[in-house]
Amino acid sequence: MTEEEFEALIDRHGGDPSRWPAAERAAAEQRLAESSKARATLAAMREVEHLLDATRAAAPDPGRILAQATAMLQRPPLRATVRRSAAIAASAAAVLLLGFGTGQGAALASHDAGALYAAAMGGDIGG
Amino acid sequence: MAVAARIVLDRAAAEDIVQEVFLRAWMRAGDWRRGGGPGRARYATWLARIAVNLAIDGNRRVRPVALDGIADPPDPSLAADERMIERERAARLNRAVMDLPERQRAAIALSYDAGLSNAEAADALGTSVGAVELLLVRARRALRAAVAETEEG
């Protein structure tokens, strides 16, 4: 793997080797062992990723979200079906907010929202 | 939430988007269910797609201006001067993220804040893996250059 190919790998997949394609990982690690320039490129990418992690938004205030949803429920033009959907969506949001913004958000969203979705779809939403 | 905040760079707007995402997700749950089969998008990817569309649409209406409200406090274990440096570097990165074109910013948010693979990010953005990798390549190069400037300056 050349310097250019190593930099292209970092640009496409980032600085976490677990996200590199398996077919390229061994060659990339060899390049890292041999090249100070490759190590500097990786270090620069990891610094950016550390800062992205440090600046990730924290989970929002569930109370604020619920207050907004409550205001939405009290808005007259909404049909009953929409009002009930808003209530369920607000509840779902409140549950999922505990996961989003923590770095575990995607995994929690995937798991909890799937279960919540399945449970909610079994309910009566007619109106 | 983190995806929306990274794109709109405004915490209050991001919270509004989170609420809207779940309302829309509920109203359009059938869309996700109808897209069944082995290629069906993960629920998180589907939610991310809705969040990205809302965030980009929101940015078209109101140019984001707020930056400082979304960053977590620096690591409390650092010394005071180290915390100040870390805060400056984080602010520099936030500015660099804001300067990215919208779809590059969305690709970064999906990759780092939602933890999606390149294929999943492509699905969320409604584009090809090659196209999303091109967005990530340009964004990562720009962000590395911005952070390197901090260190040199």
Side-chain angles (χ1 to χ4, degrees):
Chain A
M1 178 177 281
T2 65
E3 297 285 359
E4 290 73 22
E5 288 169 339
F6 181 82
E7 188 169 356
L9 173 75
I10 297 291
D11 287 337
R12 283 198 316 277
H13 299 287
D16 179 359
S18 70
R19 296 188 67 160
W20 298 348
E24 296 179 59
R25 203 171 298 151
E29 285 171 356
Q30 187 176 346
R31 170 54 52 185
L32 272 174
E34 294 169 353
S35 165
S36 59
K37 187 179 177 191
R39 289 193 291 275
T41 300
L42 180 62
M45 191 69 251
R46 286 182 173 170
E47 177 59 21
V48 167
E49 291 169 347
H50 161 72
L51 291 171
L52 284 170
D53 191 47
T55 56
R56 181 175 298 121
D61 175 10
R64 183 175 178 275
I65 301 289
L66 287 172
Q68 288 175 337
T70 303
M72 183 185 292
L73 296 178
Q74 292 167 347
R75 220 174 282 159
L78 288 176
R79 290 182 293 112
T81 302
V82 177
R83 282 199 299 272
R84 294 188 67 177
S85 297
I88 295 165
S91 302
V95 170
L96 289 167
L97 290 176
L98 300 175
F100 274 110
T102 64
Q104 302 298 317
L108 284 170
S110 176
H111 180 270
D112 294 351
L116 190 65
Y117 167 80
M121 286 305 290
D124 172 22
I125 60 167
Chain B
M1 167 69 188
V3 171
R6 185 79 72 188
I7 297 171
V8 300
L9 294 166
D10 180 279
R11 185 179 179 84
E15 288 184 2
D16 290 345
I17 288 170
V18 169
Q19 185 187 342
E20 185 72 16
V21 164
F22 284 100
L23 180 57
R24 290 198 184 192
W26 177 255
M27 300 298 287
R28 292 163 49 194
D31 294 350
W32 181 69
R33 195 165 52 169
R34 277 192 295 275
R40 183 169 73 178
R42 283 201 307 142
Y43 198 81
T45 308
W46 187 65
L47 287 178
R49 183 189 303 165
I50 298 173
V52 165
N53 288 339
L54 284 169
I56 288 177
D57 185 52
N59 275 351
R60 290 200 179 110
R61 280 184 261 120
V62 181
R63 179 73 185 142
V65 290
L67 284 172
D68 298 330
I70 65 168
D72 284 338
D75 185 346
S77 66
L78 296 176
D81 55 341
E82 290 174 326
R83 281 204 300 274
M84 193 168 73
I85 292 169
E86 180 85 348
R87 193 172 286 118
E88 286 171 2
R89 292 160 69 82
R92 180 87 182 215
L93 179 90
N94 269 341
R95 283 194 292 274
V97 168
M98 192 180 76
D99 287 343
L100 292 175
E102 207 162 56
R103 284 176 69 80
Q104 288 183 30
R105 197 157 69 231
I108 287 290
L110 291 169
S111 181
Y112 289 105
D113 298 320
L116 300 187
S117 68
N118 291 356
E120 290 168 331
D123 187 28
L125 283 171
T127 189
S128 67
V129 174
V132 89
E133 288 186 351
L134 189 58
L135 292 170
L136 286 168
V137 164
R138 289 174 176 165
R140 285 186 172 120
R141 286 182 183 170
L143 296 180
R144 283 209 306 275
V147 171
E149 277 179 33
T150 312
E151 285 165 359
E152 288 160 12

